[in-house]
Amino acid sequence: MSAPTLDRPTDEAALQQRFDATIAADRRIEPRDWMPDGYRKTLVRQIAQHAHSEIIGMQPEGDWLLAAPSLRRKAILLAKVQDEAGHGMYLYSAAETLGADRADLTDKLIEQKQKYSSIFNYPTLTYADVGVIGWLVDGAAICNQVPLCRSSYGPYARAMIRICKEESFHQRQGYELLMTMMGGTEEQRAMVQDAVDRWWWPSLMMFGPPDDDSPNSAQSMAWGIKRHSNDELRQRYVDMSVPQAQFLGVTLPDPDLHWDEETGHWRFGPIDWAEFKQVVSGNGPANAERIRRRRAARDDNAWVTEAATAYARKHAGAVTEGAA
Ligand code: 3HC
């Protein structure tokens, strides 16, 4: 009797059925499990974009490491920027469990064949930007990423649990910095307001295009990769941020922002989707600089990668020999 093979159509149908049942029961898909090609591709796309965002996201704040106003602020910022590197590493590891190659993903980022978050293409002009990135950008990241802790792909969901805990610290350090500045001089308060004016709209864009212009949402939600639509999360974020802005004493730069008694939501004005498209297609204020630096980091540090790879190979060889 011949051994069963997995490439027979009937086997494929059974595997698909088992996959569908796992998703329907809200259990996790693991790397060893069969999965449809589209599911794997969507995950690699989203996880890679997410990992790239963490790594590129180190740049705007990293710019302030040497100019932090005190040792305490420097230590906090350094810890935060290092956390972002760690997030990138967990996420690249999650992508590797799907068969992706980390170096290949990095090349695709540098060749601009894969995206990273639009938000990191804006410059950080003053130290208040560090606080506002913590409050608004990390706040948006938390809002978007907490539901990903229940994502249907196990390694991604588990990576997100730790990432979200650290993002929570990031948001608090930002808000604490802003509270301190708002209790300072008139000039410091003006710096905070100016940073809020520049970052508010780009942070709303982080959630992605509106639902009726989001080609991936429906399928990603059916697969349990995403748990909520882009617009749902954006609204949740606005509802969360308005009271925080009021407590802080800043004005959000939206003349249409108002409380809607009937729905119990803060309603906001139109988002400039033309700007979003420009930034995502590589024409934002800092896209070229972000990619130039990422390319330089890859090329200048190639010797470290080569040495680490050679060491890992040698070590793996020694382990195999020992086992023999
Ligand atoms: N910036 C850049 N590209 C974006 C984007 C954004 N803000 N929002 C959407 N896009 C891209 C999508 O990747 C997709 O591109 P593709 O089909 O060519 O690959 C296209 O625009 C259409 O958007 P969709 O809504 O159909 O795409 P998704 O279903 O993937 O939803 C998403 C987009 C909500 C960002 C989703 O991918 C997601 O939740 N990703 C995980 C979280 C993430 O990547 N966050 C990035 C920020 S990381 C961060 O904030 C770090 C922290 O330290 C601050």
Side-chain angles (χ1 to χ4, degrees):
M1 203 172 89
S2 63
T5 56
L6 293 183
D7 56 359
R8 282 195 232 129
T10 47
D11 291 338
E12 179 100 6
L15 290 167
Q16 177 75 51
Q17 232 173 24
R18 195 190 304 161
F19 172 86
D20 292 343
T22 307
I23 297 287
D26 203 14
R27 290 198 305 269
R28 300 288 163 264
I29 303 292
E30 295 297 336
R32 62 178 180 273
D33 296 334
W34 180 91
M35 60 188 85
D37 285 346
Y39 179 81
R40 186 184 299 275
K41 227 171 122 186
T42 298
L43 277 168
V44 171
R45 180 186 64 79
Q46 177 166 326
I47 298 173
Q49 173 182 315
H50 195 165
H52 298 330
S53 304
E54 300 281 356
I55 298 297
I56 294 282
M58 294 165 72
Q59 291 188 31
E61 289 182 286
D63 283 345
W64 282 95
L65 280 172
L66 293 178
S70 69
L71 182 59
R72 177 170 174 267
R73 292 291 169 203
K74 187 187 282 230
I76 294 172
L77 187 57
L78 193 59
K80 178 180 192 273
V81 172
Q82 284 176 338
D83 281 353
E84 310 296 2
H87 298 175
M89 296 305 119
Y90 307 148
L91 290 164
Y92 284 127
S93 298
E96 282 173 330
T97 66
L98 292 155
D101 175 73
R102 191 180 298 217
D104 177 55
L105 296 179
T106 299
D107 291 346
K108 287 195 170 111
L109 162 69
I110 290 168
E111 289 154 19
Q112 296 175 67
K113 291 181 182 154
Q114 283 180 346
K115 298 185 169 81
Y116 61 92
S117 184
S118 49
I119 194 75
F120 300 118
N121 292 305
Y122 294 85
T124 39
L125 303 182
T126 71
Y127 206 75
D129 290 34
V130 170
V132 170
I133 289 179
W135 170 40
L136 291 179
V137 174
D138 293 285
I142 292 169
C143 208
N144 165 260
Q145 292 172 23
V146 166
L148 296 175
C149 298
R150 293 185 296 109
S151 182
S152 60
Y153 186 58
Y156 190 33
R158 289 190 288 275
M160 291 316 304
I161 293 171
R162 174 140 180 205
I163 290 176
C164 285
K165 282 188 185 154
E166 291 176 351
E167 293 296 357
S168 178
F169 151 66
H170 296 173
Q171 199 217 11
R172 280 165 199 213
Q173 67 79 35
Y175 200 73
E176 189 265 343
L177 167 58
L178 296 179
M179 286 294 288
T180 306
M181 290 185 79
M182 290 302 284
T185 63
E186 206 44 60
E187 202 184 350
Q188 284 175 310
R189 278 190 285 280
M191 272 167 74
V192 174
Q193 183 60 56
D194 172 64
V196 170
D197 291 346
R198 285 181 286 107
W199 290 93
W200 173 247
W201 290 107
S203 69
L204 294 191
M205 296 174 194
M206 284 176 72
F207 294 89
D211 292 351
D212 55 13
D213 197 20
S214 163
N216 303 296
S217 279
Q219 183 60 73
S220 282
M221 285 170 69
W223 275 329
I225 295 174
K226 279 168 80 162
R227 295 288 175 170
H228 304 280
S229 79
N230 299 355
D231 286 333
E232 259 173 67
L233 292 174
R234 192 170 6 251
Q235 182 63 60
R236 192 180 284 187
Y237 172 70
V238 173
D239 290 342
M240 186 182 94
S241 302
V242 174
Q244 292 172 356
Q246 288 170 337
F247 187 76
L248 194 58
V250 293
T251 307
L252 295 172
D254 178 357
D256 295 327
L257 189 67
H258 65 277
W259 176 249
D260 181 352
E261 197 69 56
E262 214 169 286
T263 59
H265 289 296
W266 285 95
R267 293 298 175 207
F268 50 96
I271 294 174
D272 184 352
W273 291 114
E275 175 181 321
F276 173 76
K277 283 185 183 146
Q278 277 296 310
V279 174
V280 171
S281 56
N283 302 315
N287 295 59
E289 175 66 358
R290 300 287 179 249
I291 293 295
R292 185 193 66 71
R293 284 206 204 156
R294 185 66 194 88
R295 183 191 299 276
R298 179 196 59 184
D299 296 348
D300 296 348
N301 298 311
W303 66 274
V304 179
T305 313
E306 279 163 29
T309 310
Y311 177 80
R313 255 194 222 118
K314 195 171 151 190
H315 187 66
V319 169
T320 317
E321 264 171 42

